[in-house]
Amino acid sequence: MNPPSSVQRRDDTLRSGAESSSVSFVVNGARHDVELDNRTTLLDALRERLKLTGTKKGCDHGQCGACTVSVNGERINACLTLAVMHDGDDILTIEGRAAADQLDPMQQAFIDHDAFQCGYCTPGQICSASAVLEEMQAGFPSHVTNDLTAPIEITDAEIRERMSGNLCRCGAYSNILKAITQVAKERA
Ligand code: FES
Ligand code: FES
């Protein structure tokens, strides 16, 4: 058995006091009931408690997008939100995107276009990219949307703008753009 992580030890110390809370959420279709220090971020809850380490910790300060997950259908940075704020929420991480052996279209497109090198940013990129296409389809404008009354055109500028919160230190941006564009065209 592995020794408890620092987060677990901290939680164990505080569990009996008022500084911890019971939280229930659904992650990738499975319900989890956990007792957490109120200060635990959603990112730490996913990685340290649920052992879902696909969601990555890059900066832990909301600046890199490596921790992007979907909460109730919207993308968020899991490092910027406390787990206790998500009682009752439905959370989707990179681990929940493939169905059995079948990758989801965005995962497959990243492979098809060689859209990663080290792969550290990739789970966040894929979660963000999937949300970007849904946001465009729903008509949410961005800073580069010219016509606010027309359906949003899928352009390189739109995708780049909407993905600007997801950094890639390997510089795989051009292939990430190709992967997202492929899925956008498949859906159009
Ligand atoms: S780890 Fe959350 S934005 Fe960087
Ligand atoms: S693939 Fe290495 S940081 Fe993006």
Side-chain angles (χ1 to χ4, degrees):
M1 190 172 158
N2 292 330
S5 69
S6 58
V7 171
Q8 282 174 310
R9 285 198 302 276
R10 184 188 68 192
D11 288 351
D12 289 342
T13 304
L14 296 170
R15 187 166 295 131
S16 59
E19 294 180 356
S20 64
S21 299
S22 300
V23 186
S24 298
F25 36 47
V26 173
V27 182
N28 302 332
R31 181 181 158 141
H32 295 271
D33 302 306
V34 284
E35 182 83 9
L36 290 170
D37 179 343
N38 294 339
R39 296 167 293 183
T40 306
T41 64
L42 179 59
L43 177 59
D44 282 340
L46 291 170
R47 289 180 55 84
E48 305 288 343
R49 274 306 185 86
L50 305 188
K51 305 302 179 192
L52 293 171
T53 54
T55 305
K56 297 294 186 267
K57 182 182 283 191
C59 63
D60 210 19
H61 284 82
Q63 295 175 346
C64 73
C67 64
T68 306
V69 296
S70 169
V71 175
N72 301 330
E74 294 185 359
R75 57 177 169 160
I76 65 167
N77 288 335
C79 72
L80 286 185
T81 186
L82 297 174
V84 293
M85 296 165 65
H86 296 286
D87 194 46
D89 281 353
D90 194 353
I91 299 160
L92 180 65
T93 72
I94 192 69
E95 290 93 341
R97 292 194 168 264
D101 291 337
Q102 185 73 41
L103 295 178
D104 89 352
M106 194 63 76
Q107 290 174 311
Q108 187 60 55
F110 268 62
I111 291 173
D112 293 346
H113 291 278
D114 198 19
F116 48 85
Q117 290 181 39
C118 77
Y120 197 83
C121 73
T122 310
Q125 301 278 3
I126 289 173
C127 291
S128 214
S130 300
V132 159
L133 297 189
E134 282 156 24
E135 288 161 16
M136 284 201 283
Q137 202 162 20
F140 297 156
S142 77
H143 281 302
V144 299
T145 306
N146 289 323
D147 186 349
L148 300 183
T149 62
I152 292 171
E153 215 181 324
I154 298 161
T155 63
D156 289 0
E158 277 286 357
I159 294 172
R160 285 185 194 279
E161 166 64 20
R162 291 166 191 269
M163 291 296 294
S164 61
N166 288 81
L167 305 185
C168 174
R169 293 193 65 170
C170 299
Y173 296 113
S174 58
N175 288 359
I176 291 171
L177 178 62
K178 286 179 192 164
I180 299 171
T181 303
Q182 173 184 298
V183 179
K185 284 184 177 161
E186 286 168 1
R187 286 194 189 175

